[in-house]
Amino acid sequence: MDNRAFRVVGQPLEDRKARVAELGRMGFTWADIGAEEYWIDQLVVMNGEVYEDVKQASRMLWSVFDKGARFVLGRRDLYEMLSIPEVLWDGLDQLEPGPPGLISRYARFDFSVSEDGRVKLLELNADTPTGYVESSIVTPWMSRQYGVCSPNAVMAEQVRQAWSEEQPEAAACIDYGKHLEDSGTIDALVKHSGRQMRCVDCLDLWVDEGILKDSDNRAISGMFALYPKEWMGVDDGGEALAYAIETGRLNLFNPIHAIILQSKGLQAVIWGLHEMGVQLFTRQEHEAIERYMLPTYNQPVFEGSYVSKSMFGREGGSVRMYASSGDMDIQDEEGFDTSTLFENVYQERADLPRVQLAQGEYRLLTGMFVINGEPCGLLGRAGGLITGNASHFVAIGVDQIE
């Protein structure tokens, strides 16, 4: 492949087993998942000018989403529209959000970057994005092998700065020590933070009169958790955890206000405010919305092709793509369909670009991490039109960075 936005370099090397073992020693222990090759041993190289546009889109939209989330705060009709569980409403209203640009300190935009370099936002994961190990550790490693620049080298320092402000004393995920990806993500974040912290399994935690405790009955007052906050509306113990947060006994990171950013319905709110020309956004921000965002609504009002997805769908779950005729074209078959729990949002369709790799043709999703308020790390996912659980990781380097 050779076009304006991307080129592919290298071929998978014959010593994959040895390379996978080396990656495992670096902390990336899920390069192969059973017989499935999750990591693709090639490098996608993004044109430098296109990268700068992705970075600019991320920087401008981060400000837009921050303002949009603050607009939603205190408006319970919008909480309901965004499918935010009611158990979180009191905490959202009572607790102060972070400083401007820092409602979430750990997030990732997902973009469709076309072959000719047009950048369109698909969604924002501002609560529990994974792919951190792939971006912060593996991508610079791959880029060095081909003499290509990687802006991702700064990710660890951004985590260190973020956690020096938040100062969590524990980090948690479901099945810590058993779930390779989530455990590896937690381990890498803790290592890069430079902090002495204990890593715990969310399933071992419990709430005692508003105080979060671990399996050894030790209290936890500050914790980073790869735990989607929307689950608090359906999980046993979710109400108790919400109470610990809203009463200030537990500082959870990302904070609960990140759920507003996480809801895909926020894109519909932002688009509606943009169409009304509200002065909440600057002229430059309105231009960024028009250029980088896709028309998004809470009803399927499109005459052309569009996509529907759950407000809190993850890994492609609940995504359905519709053709211009209005007939469903494709839907995700692998991920959990959360549209049974949350409302849907509807977005103009922007298909992912094709990329020719050694294993065949894929569609490329471009992620950009925003850590401590700064766009700082590319993530490549190669899969189908819908990027789901069956997609692969492919590193993205940059041709040139001015």
Side-chain angles (χ1 to χ4, degrees):
M1 180 187 68
D2 192 5
N3 56 39
R4 166 172 154 70
F6 305 102
R7 60 187 177 91
V8 175
V9 297
Q11 289 292 321
L13 300 181
E14 293 181 0
D15 59 341
R16 180 178 179 88
K17 186 175 181 179
R19 287 168 67 75
V20 167
E22 182 176 358
L23 288 170
R25 291 189 291 272
M26 295 163 59
F28 182 45
T29 58
W30 56 100
D32 285 347
I33 304 174
E36 181 70 25
E37 296 183 357
Y38 168 60
W39 164 61
I40 294 177
D41 188 10
Q42 291 178 279
L43 181 69
V44 173
V45 183
M46 180 180 287
N47 174 278
E49 292 181 359
V50 174
Y51 167 75
E52 291 297 337
D53 201 27
V54 172
K55 189 174 182 179
Q56 175 69 2
S58 301
R59 180 170 285 113
M60 293 298 296
L61 293 181
W62 189 245
S63 175
V64 165
F65 273 71
D66 184 86
K67 290 182 177 180
R70 293 174 198 275
F71 175 83
V72 169
L73 273 177
R75 292 177 164 89
R76 295 197 165 194
D77 58 328
L78 293 183
Y79 293 170
E80 184 175 12
M81 193 194 89
L82 270 59
S83 284
I84 295 173
E86 192 169 351
V87 70
L88 293 174
W89 291 7
D90 286 345
L92 290 173
D93 290 346
Q94 293 171 17
L95 300 175
E96 287 293 321
L102 295 173
I103 290 177
S104 163
R105 291 182 186 264
Y106 176 64
R108 191 192 71 234
F109 283 115
D110 286 338
F111 293 101
S112 170
V113 181
S114 67
E115 283 94 343
D116 61 358
R118 286 173 292 129
V119 177
K120 288 294 183 181
L121 174 69
L122 300 179
E123 59 190 49
L124 168 65
N125 186 336
D127 190 13
T128 60
T130 52
Y132 178 80
V133 174
E134 293 93 317
S135 295
S136 66
I137 296 174
V138 184
T139 295
W141 179 76
M142 286 291 294
S143 298
R144 286 194 297 271
Q145 293 176 35
Y146 292 101
V148 173
C149 295
S150 175
N152 296 21
V154 303
M155 294 177 70
E157 173 60 20
Q158 292 301 115
V159 168
R160 189 196 65 77
Q161 292 180 18
W163 284 17
S164 68
E165 293 289 335
E166 293 177 332
Q167 299 188 353
E169 62 193 69
C173 67
I174 301 292
D175 283 336
Y176 177 75
K178 300 175 184 176
H179 190 287
L180 292 179
E181 181 180 4
D182 287 357
S183 301
T185 300
I186 289 292
D187 288 340
L189 288 166
V190 170
K191 180 180 179 181
H192 290 172
S193 75
R195 296 179 58 80
Q196 294 297 317
M197 298 170 58
R198 61 187 191 268
C199 297
V200 297
D201 186 342
C202 287
L203 300 176
D204 291 335
L205 302 176
W206 58 292
V207 179
D208 179 18
E209 296 184 354
I211 298 174
L212 184 69
K213 294 185 177 181
D214 64 15
S215 58
D216 296 323
N217 206 33
R218 294 179 296 179
I220 299 174
S221 60
M223 182 176 72
F224 176 88
L226 284 180
Y227 173 77
K229 293 172 180 60
E230 66 268 19
W231 291 0
M232 292 165 67
V234 295
D235 278 354
D236 292 338
E239 187 172 350
L241 181 60
Y243 177 73
I245 296 167
E246 70 187 48
T247 56
R249 292 177 172 90
L250 172 66
N251 290 318
L252 188 66
F253 310 112
N254 281 310
I256 63 168
H257 296 98
I259 197 171
I260 302 176
L261 294 168
Q262 178 70 33
S263 173
K264 296 176 180 64
L266 182 60
Q267 294 182 67
V269 172
I270 291 170
W271 190 260
L273 294 171
H274 168 62
E275 288 189 318
M276 290 187 291
V278 298
Q279 294 185 3
L280 175 68
F281 304 122
T282 66
R283 178 180 59 81
Q284 292 84 358
E285 287 168 343
H286 275 292
E287 291 173 353
I289 293 169
E290 188 71 29
R291 177 174 179 178
Y292 298 120
M293 290 187 68
L294 295 162
T296 308
Y297 304 94
N298 61 352
Q299 296 293 331
V301 297
F302 297 96
E303 295 182 0
S305 57
Y306 68 96
V307 176
S308 73
K309 44 193 171 183
S310 167
M311 298 278 184
F312 292 105
R314 294 171 185 265
E315 292 291 341
S318 81
V319 175
R320 295 174 175 85
M321 291 185 162
Y322 294 84
S324 56
S325 63
D327 296 326
M328 190 171 68
D329 197 10
I330 185 174
Q331 68 175 334
D332 177 73
E333 301 287 352
E334 301 291 334
F336 175 66
D337 185 1
T338 57
S339 63
T340 59
L341 301 173
F342 310 106
E343 297 295 326
N344 282 333
V345 70
Y346 303 88
Q347 185 179 71
E348 184 179 285
R349 180 169 165 174
D351 287 350
L352 295 170
R354 293 178 173 86
V355 57
Q356 188 66 43
L357 299 171
Q359 296 176 338
E361 183 179 272
Y362 293 90
R363 299 286 183 149
L364 180 67
L365 179 74
T366 299
M368 172 66 89
F369 276 89
V370 181
I371 302 177
N372 208 33
E374 287 295 322
C376 60
L378 291 170
L379 174 69
R381 294 287 296 276
L385 282 169
I386 299 172
T387 306
N389 281 326
S391 64
H392 302 267
F393 158 59
V394 60
I396 302 178
V398 179
D399 245 336
Q400 58 186 34
I401 303 176
E402 297 296 334

